[in-house]
Amino acid sequence: MVSASQDIGLYKGPGAPRGRLAFRPEIEGLRAVAIMPVVLVHAGFTQFPGGFVGVDVFFVISGYLITRIIMADMEQDRFSLARFYARRFARLGPALWAMLAAVLVAGMWLLLPSDWPGLTREAIWAAGFAANLNYWATTDYFATHETALLLHTWSLGVEEQFYLFYPFALIGLRRWLPGREGTALAVLAAVSFALCLWLSQTATQAAFYLFSARAWEMALGGLVACGAGFRISAPMLRAALGLAGLGMITASVIGIGQLGAFPAPAALLPCVGTALVIAYGTGGPARRLLSLAPVRWIGRISYSTYLWHWPIMVFWRLEYGVYQDRWSRVGLVVAALVAGAVSYYAIERPGQRSLLALPRRTVFRIGIASVAGVTALALAGLALAPRMASGPAAQMAVELAAKADERRVVQYRMGACFGNELDFDQCVRPVGDGRDVVVMGSSYAAMLWRALAEENPHLRLHQATVLGCNPLLESTGGRACVEAYARVFALARSGKVAHLVLASRWYEEDAPALAETVRAMRKVGVAVTVIGPPVEYEQSFPRVLAIAERRGDPAYIVAMRRSARDGIDAVLGPAVRQAGGRYVSQLALECPSLRGSRACRHFASDGLPIHYDTGHLTPRAAGDLAEAIGPL
């Protein structure tokens, strides 16, 4: 989360020294425009699907303000790296470390033992402003970051890693290319954007979390600080451009899905819009709107609000699931703002003032001690976590969490037969004697392959499971996925494949394309079995069982099930059968008493929970499903 704009308070008023950054109330208000969509989308307000672009708005603001601050100091020959980094510590540290400590302490009462390894790692990386590297390194297809209590600190890592190098770049430019700072920043922004654009198509997690792929956003703010762009003096035109910038941010928040891959090119619209507001929003309606006292107040507390809003919402989600009604969502937004205000007035500003009054060496020592303190607290929680297991369900959650990755490698054939690419020669080699069956689809197909193969030893089961699209004739999505499925359908048309088993996390809108796929395969004599969508829960199912056990409330399990997805069967089933295929309902097999007592099976035949996470089946549960499906 970008926070540099709070430094504008250090350079207020007409008496500010020449070259200093004069106070601009509309930038303080612009921070409110950034933080509120983030809070609203995280609170569950679906009207703002692109609310997360508020972080991109902050990156541009930060790049502008930090560039102005550094260049103003250099103009007066008073820039000091030690002073710069000490001020960053003082600005960001107190509220961050207080939030981390509070989350760890609260976690000792509210979390389960299986939650602690992840939280410990998150806290240690976040305390050292490197959370983005942790999430980039640990993220895989099965990662459940929606319940990662410190996920939001990734943006602090991106920002601070950029500022480890940025002052050196500006110093070098001033020495060897004086007056060309804007040109150099334009080159930096272009290279970083090109990298981000490429990674957004090939390695989405890297594009999202690595500072090198996000540097263009802060460099864009730096360009504005260097005076890049058209010099426009006409007040009406400047006002129109500032208002247009606000409109671009709003359009991104409301219609992010229409802007392409994220971060690039989708983040370009809100970032350019922010640059326009900063460059030309010094007058007119944009300035008047952003300078309103309530708007500026929200902007003032935005850093603390950002720090506290996500843990509040995740703790709520872990205890109560999705936000059940509008008043719950409104309450969470209010709680985030209240927590942000308390943190701002009680921790952030007093902490900053106190640290800035100390010698720089002392500031760094306090910073190092704070990181060490958070690390010690996190390790203490990890050490105590096994003693917190309150019953069999909690102990099973620990066991499944510890062995999930190891088991999935075997169950899913990770790497060769399931992942971003498919080793076609190893995983799909039919001979065409009528015994070749291909299981194809997403992870929900991969989890079944081994169980189906063991249940049908008389058949040759091949596995074509790839991330990125559904197993449909007219599939859209990742290149490797679309190409792999096209090869399978071509083999089926050529007579090499006798039977296709299709499984994915289906939606109602998939029904027409799925029916057309079944119909086309039946015309060439290929049998088709479609496995319906999985039963899903709001959070990891072992965790749901453990919380229900701890609370003594079996109804909690029912409340956590995503019952809104139950209706998909009623749409897909008839469509598949009318097209000539066989439809297998996971919902009916897992929840046979759904219409009566609304009871679902919770444990597989080995006594362990049915699901690893929110929906994927454990190996034994997959075996139970294969037995229920019967011979293919």
Side-chain angles (χ1 to χ4, degrees), residues 355-429:
L355 288 176
L356 288 177
L358 297 173
R360 291 167 197 164
R361 288 186 179 180
T362 304
V363 174
F364 291 127
R365 288 170 182 163
I366 291 174
I368 294 170
S370 299
V371 173
V374 169
T375 300
L377 187 58
L379 292 174
L382 181 63
L384 294 171
R387 302 178 185 179
M388 302 177 198
S390 56
Q395 292 169 0
M396 282 189 286
V398 173
E399 178 185 345
L400 282 178
K403 298 180 179 179
D405 291 341
E406 177 184 337
R407 289 175 174 173
R408 280 196 181 111
V409 170
V410 176
Q411 180 183 359
Y412 290 73
R413 301 169 84 192
M414 301 284 286
C417 300
F418 174 65
N420 292 308
E421 300 281 345
L422 177 67
D423 186 337
F424 211 87
D425 291 335
Q426 177 178 339
C427 304
V428 187
R429 300 179 64 184

Side-chain angles (χ1 to χ4, degrees), residues 6 21 59 96 131 197 228 311 354 366 373 383 391 408 422 468 537 596:
Q6 193 59 44
L21 183 58
F59 282 154
L96 171 66
L197 194 63
S354 298
I366 291 174
R408 280 196 181 111
L422 177 67
Y537 291 82

Side-chain angles (χ1 to χ4, degrees), residues 392-393 396 399-400 545 602-610 618 620 624:
M396 282 189 286
E399 178 185 345
L400 282 178
L545 294 178
H602 299 156
F603 300 96
S605 57
D606 61 359
L608 292 176
I610 283 183
T618 58
R620 185 58 259 165
D624 295 342

